[in-house]
C-alpha cells in the first residue's frame, strides 16, 4: 500500500503511533495558545529542526507538502495587512506552517498500518452504536493513500496536454 511515510527508519519511527499523535494534539493546542510572533517563529524553527533530524529526503518531502500553503498564507497575510493587522497575519501564517509541519512529521514517521491500527483502536466505542471501528480507520487510510496520487495528477494532466498540443 502506498504511504506518505519515509522508506527508511529514523529515531521518530521508534516512537509508538499513539504517543506521536498524542504529542501532536498537545502541540496543536499549545500553538493555538501562543499569540506572539517570537513564540510562533520559535515553533517553526523547532519543527524545521525536527524535520532536518530525519534526513534530507524528509526535508525535501516536507517542502513539497508545505508548498501549497505558501499561497494560502500569502492570501491571509495580504488580507490581514489590508485590515491593518500585519503582525496577526504573520503569527497566523507561522502557526499554520508549524501545525502542518508537525502533522507532516508524524505522517512521515508513522507507517500507514500503524495509523490504521491506532484509529481502529480509538474508534472502538463506535462498535456500541453498531458502527464498525474499521470504517473510520479504512477511510483515513484511503485519504492518506490518495494524497500522493492527487498531488501527481496535475503533472500528469500537464504532460498529457503537452503531448497533444503544439
Amino acid at each position: 500500500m502506498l504511504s506518505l511515510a519515509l522508506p527508511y527508519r529514523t529515531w521518530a519511527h521508534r516512537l509508538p503511533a499513539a504517543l506521536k499523535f498524542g504529542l501532536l494534539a498537545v502541540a496543536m493546542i499549545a500553538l493555538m495558545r501562543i499569540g506572539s510572533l517570537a513564540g510562533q517563529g520559535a515553533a517553526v524553527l523547532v519543527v524545521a529542526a525536527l524535520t532536518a533530524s530525519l534526513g534530507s529526503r524528509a526535508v525535501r518531502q516536507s517542502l513539497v507538502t508545505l508548498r501549497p500553503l505558501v499561497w494560502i498564507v500569502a492570501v491571509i497575510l495580504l488580507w490581514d495587512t489590508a485590515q491593518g493587522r500585519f503582525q496577526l497575519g504573520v503569527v497566523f501564517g507561522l502557526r499554520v506552517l508549524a501545525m502542518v509541519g508537525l502533522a507532516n512529521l508524524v505522517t512521515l514517521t508513522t507507517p500507514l498500518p500503524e495509523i490504521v491500527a491506532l484509529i481502529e483502536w480509538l474508534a472502538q466505542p463506535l462498535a456500541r452504536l453498531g458502527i464498525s471501528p474499521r470504517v473510520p480507520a479504512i477511510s483515513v487510510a484511503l485519504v492518506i493513500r490518495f494524497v500522493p496520487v492527487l498531488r501527481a495528477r496535475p503533472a500528469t494532466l500537464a504532460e498529457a496536454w503537452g503531448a497533444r498540443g503544439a
Side-chain angles (χ1 to χ4, degrees):
M1 186 181 293
L2 185 60
S3 169
L4 297 177
L6 293 171
Y8 56 89
R9 296 199 49 87
T10 65
W11 62 268
H13 283 83
R14 291 190 294 269
L15 300 174
L19 176 63
K20 285 187 265 191
F21 277 90
L23 290 172
L24 177 63
V26 169
M28 296 285 183
I29 292 168
L31 285 168
M32 290 302 295
R33 309 240 341 126
I34 296 172
S36 71
L37 186 59
Q40 292 297 336
V44 169
L45 290 176
V46 167
V47 171
L50 287 171
T51 303
S53 75
L54 300 177
S56 61
R57 184 162 180 184
V59 172
R60 281 192 307 275
Q61 208 165 329
S62 292
L63 290 174
V64 168
T65 301
L66 293 174
R67 190 178 332 163
L69 287 180
V70 172
W71 296 107
I72 295 168
V73 170
V75 168
I76 291 167
L77 191 58
L78 286 172
W79 175 259
D80 280 335
T81 300
Q83 299 296 315
R85 303 177 307 203
F86 176 76
Q87 186 172 347
L88 182 65
V90 174
V91 167
F92 184 77
L94 291 174
R95 182 180 294 141
V96 168
L97 290 174
M99 287 181 160
V100 173
L102 282 173
N104 188 52
L105 186 75
V106 171
T107 305
L108 287 174
T109 61
T110 310
L112 194 53
E114 289 182 27
I115 295 172
V116 170
L118 175 63
I119 293 170
E120 194 169 350
W121 178 74
L122 290 170
Q124 286 298 321
L126 294 175
R128 294 186 191 136
L129 302 173
I131 301 170
S132 170
R134 192 96 174 125
V135 171
I138 294 300
S139 299
V140 169
L142 284 171
V143 169
I144 291 173
R145 159 58 181 98
F146 281 105
V147 165
V149 173
L150 294 174
R151 191 183 294 155
R153 185 84 170 144
T156 305
L157 289 173
E159 185 179 336
W161 291 331
R164 281 187 238 123

